[in-house]
Amino acid sequence: MSDTMDSQNPSPTEPQKLYRAEAVRQLDGLVISQQQIPAIALMKRAGRAAFDALRNRWPEVSSIQVFCGGGNNGGDGYVIAGLAAQRQIPVTVYVGVPADKLKGEALEAHGFAEREGATLVTSLAELPAVEKNTVLVDALLGTGFSGELRAPMDAAIEHINRSPASVLAVDLPSGLNADSGFAAEAVSANATVTFIGRKAGLFLGRGPALAGDVIFEDLGAAPAVYAQVPAQLTRYSGGSLERLPARAADSYKNQFGHVLIVGGDHGFGGAALMASEAAARTGSGLISLATRPEHVVASLSRRPEVMAHPVVSGQELEPLLESPDVIAVGPGLGHSPWSEQLLARAGRAPAKLVLDADALNILAGGRVLAGITRDDWVLTPHIGEAARLLGIPTAEVSADPVAAARAIQEKFSGVVVLKGAGTLIAHADGVDVINTGNPGMASGGMGDLLTGIIASLIGQGLALPAAARLGVWLHGEAGNRAAADGQRGLLATDLLPHVRELVD
């Protein structure tokens, strides 16, 4: 679900609004009450949209198996089955909830599938093997699911995931939390057709891995309806991000920011150097590096454009804090007294700040910069660092990453970049999400690059939230381009040429 944009010919698009499940239910109710569209008509629209998406994606489909639960999600599945039967596509419906327990629109949709000649199997036990060109439709559990899976739904989900057939999920994969993207066990779909409002969980946590391609259908909901219900998140793509302006012909280096990278304890010099090089490739006018003396020669050898300074104490760092526009602390910082001294000095400097990695772990410890809040810093934790900043288990962060990002921002102020498959950017005006990147980026040094990129964008004049959003997108999209020939073995420094291409 990554988004791409031609950097030479950008086409601005509106960011997408993502909703909690309860908000989507409100939208649904407003469509019914204010637009006077009956609930059964909405269900038929949803089923038809999903059936059309199935036919468009898999035009050679020879048979369909639909797995239906007992709620409206199951009702959508029955509509899909009825439409398939109308077109004489062999279709079997595996009924998870007996017809005598169905109500309202779901019961009516069940009758439609039965009248059209779909084969209804009233048990999810002993499911048959799947034939060639069969597509499975997951309509078991809807947005109201939470907690643990119970029989027979767990067995049905296991069967779907074991099958070699392609899978279309209706509204969202069964077992996936619609709000947080958390899932212990869930359907893994090739595509998901979602209705009325985009569910936040499709773009958070495990959502991107489980949902496949997300197809959105508003089912005719009017703009006035959306104006009445607040979204949980704003999702930005490459085309909806604020970009750096073109440079004038008479530009000079001091116009584009001076970034100071602070880090590189014993054995970790590469992290600080990679952050420095990322800032340079993103377009900073000047780059300084404050690091352990033994790393200076390597820095000069690899990247002589970076002004490397040996520092052995916080006192030696002090003179270097006067001129930068942005200070990034954390790449390879370590946990030594040297590390704490540098963070303590840099954390109170007048320049804008970006904190990452061990700077966040030291901050979480409470001895350095205790109680400090700043409106002009960006904190970039992954899930483990976020848990330490909040003093809660990592499982709690995974269960509700949006709440965690908001809590860190409320505690420390500024901007928080909570990294993940859907990276969250929390700021005073809300929470945004960016979906870019790929599994090949699960390797050392990637976070150091992101730190340097965001610091560079701040130094070049972008406001902190805009710099964080653009930085996350540049980082992930560069990763996608670098992985064009394969994800495994991807190195952080492989991204740098692509960062340079994308930032113009």
Side-chain angles (χ1 to χ4, degrees):
M1 289 188 295
S2 65
D3 297 285
T4 61
M5 180 178 70
D6 183 346
S7 60
Q8 300 303 315
N9 298 289
S11 178
T13 57
E14 288 296 318
Q16 299 170 349
K17 298 298 183 182
L18 307 184
Y19 296 88
R20 297 179 67 88
E22 177 56 35
V24 176
R25 284 189 281 273
Q26 293 176 28
L27 291 170
D28 190 82
L30 290 171
V31 171
I32 293 169
S33 62
Q34 295 184 4
Q35 296 185 236
Q36 298 184 348
I37 300 175
I40 187 62
L42 277 182
M43 181 171 286
K44 289 179 178 178
R45 290 185 186 184
R48 181 170 294 279
F51 178 72
D52 290 344
L54 187 155
R55 293 296 304 277
N56 288 336
R57 186 178 179 96
W58 298 286
E60 303 301 321
V61 59
S62 60
S63 65
I64 299 172
Q65 294 182 4
V66 185
F67 296 80
C68 290
N72 286 346
N73 194 248
D76 297 340
Y78 286 118
V79 173
I80 295 168
L83 293 172
Q86 281 182 347
R87 287 154 181 79
Q88 298 185 333
I89 299 174
V91 57
T92 303
V93 181
Y94 294 96
V95 179
V97 175
D100 59 4
K101 293 187 179 180
L102 297 178
K103 298 178 182 179
E105 292 77 29
L107 179 60
E108 189 170 344
H110 177 278
F112 167 67
E114 193 172 36
R115 289 192 302 274
E116 294 300 327
T119 301
L120 273 60
V121 178
T122 58
S123 172
L124 293 179
E126 299 182 7
L127 297 167
V130 176
E131 298 178 359
K132 185 179 180 180
N133 291 334
T134 295
V135 175
L136 309 185
V137 176
D138 163 32
L140 287 167
L141 301 170
T143 58
F145 169 77
S146 61
E148 296 182 0
L149 290 170
R150 297 189 297 270
M153 301 301 179
D154 55 351
I157 289 173
E158 184 180 355
H159 169 79
I160 291 171
N161 287 341
R162 278 202 316 265
S163 168
S166 298
V167 178
L168 177 73
V170 177
D171 214 19
L172 79 165
S174 293
L176 178 70
N177 186 287
D179 296 339
S180 68
F182 177 78
E185 182 181 1
V187 166
S188 179
N190 300 95
T192 298
V193 184
T194 197
F195 312 114
I196 301 289
R198 294 176 177 86
K199 286 73 183 172
L202 291 170
F203 304 94
L204 298 174
R206 297 196 64 206
L210 295 172
D213 296 329
V214 176
I215 303 162
F216 174 63
E217 297 288 346
D218 63 18
L219 305 185
V225 167
Y226 294 101
Q228 299 174 62
V229 179
Q232 181 187 26
L233 299 169
T234 302
R235 181 175 181 253
Y236 285 82
S237 64
S240 56
L241 292 165
E242 181 180 347
R243 309 285 290 189
L244 292 170
R247 294 187 174 186
D250 59 350
S251 298
Y252 58 97
K253 63 186 177 184
N254 291 336
Q255 292 177 298
F256 304 113
H258 180 183
V259 173
L260 170 64
I261 306 294
V262 179
D265 201 354
H266 297 302
F268 301 110
L273 181 54
M274 284 189 288
S276 303
E277 191 166 0
R281 290 301 188 187
T282 308
S284 293
L286 294 168
I287 311 290
S288 294
L289 169 62
T291 188
R292 287 282 191 181
E294 58 263 38
H295 301 316
V296 170
V297 171
S299 174
L300 293 173
S301 299
R302 176 174 173 84
R303 187 54 57 208
E305 297 88 348
V306 173
M307 298 176 285
H309 301 271
V311 293
V312 296
S313 67
Q315 185 175 359
E316 287 195 357
L317 178 66
E318 198 74 40
L320 303 178
L321 302 177
E322 298 173 1
S323 59
D325 301 292
V326 187
I327 302 171
V329 190
L333 186 66
H335 293 273
S336 66
W338 178 85
S339 314
E340 294 187 356
Q341 288 180 39
L342 268 56
L343 177 60
R345 298 296 179 102
R348 299 187 183 279
K352 297 179 177 68
L353 292 173
V354 180
L355 299 191
D356 183 35
D358 283 329
L360 298 173
N361 293 324
I362 294 171
L363 182 66
R367 294 196 306 113
V368 177
L369 304 180
I372 190 173
T373 62
R374 292 184 58 151
D375 293 331
D376 62 348
W377 65 2
V378 179
L379 312 182
T380 63
H382 56 53
I383 286 178
E385 291 158 352
R388 287 187 281 276
L389 287 168
L390 293 173
I392 61 176
T394 56
E396 194 170 329
V397 177
S398 298
D400 198 341
V402 177
R406 282 198 176 110
I408 296 170
Q409 198 279 330
E410 290 170 0
K411 182 176 181 179
F412 295 99
S413 195
V415 174
V416 174
V417 176
L418 180 52
K419 296 177 284 194
T423 292
L424 295 167
I425 297 98
H427 48 90
D429 296 322
V431 184
D432 309 318
V433 63
I434 306 281
N435 295 108
T436 54
N438 60 81
M441 296 174 69
S443 63
M446 293 292 179
D448 304 312
L449 262 59
L450 180 61
T451 297
I453 292 169
I454 293 175
S456 177
L457 295 171
I458 295 170
Q460 292 179 72
L462 289 184
L464 268 62
R469 287 190 292 261
L470 181 57
V472 169
W473 179 82
L474 286 171
H475 182 251
E477 184 59 25
N480 290 340
R481 295 190 180 192
D485 295 327
Q487 296 177 3
R488 203 175 299 274
L490 186 65
L491 300 179
T493 50
D494 294 338
L495 275 60
L496 291 172
H498 303 287
V499 170
R500 185 184 175 195
E501 294 169 2
L502 289 162
V503 78
D504 273 331

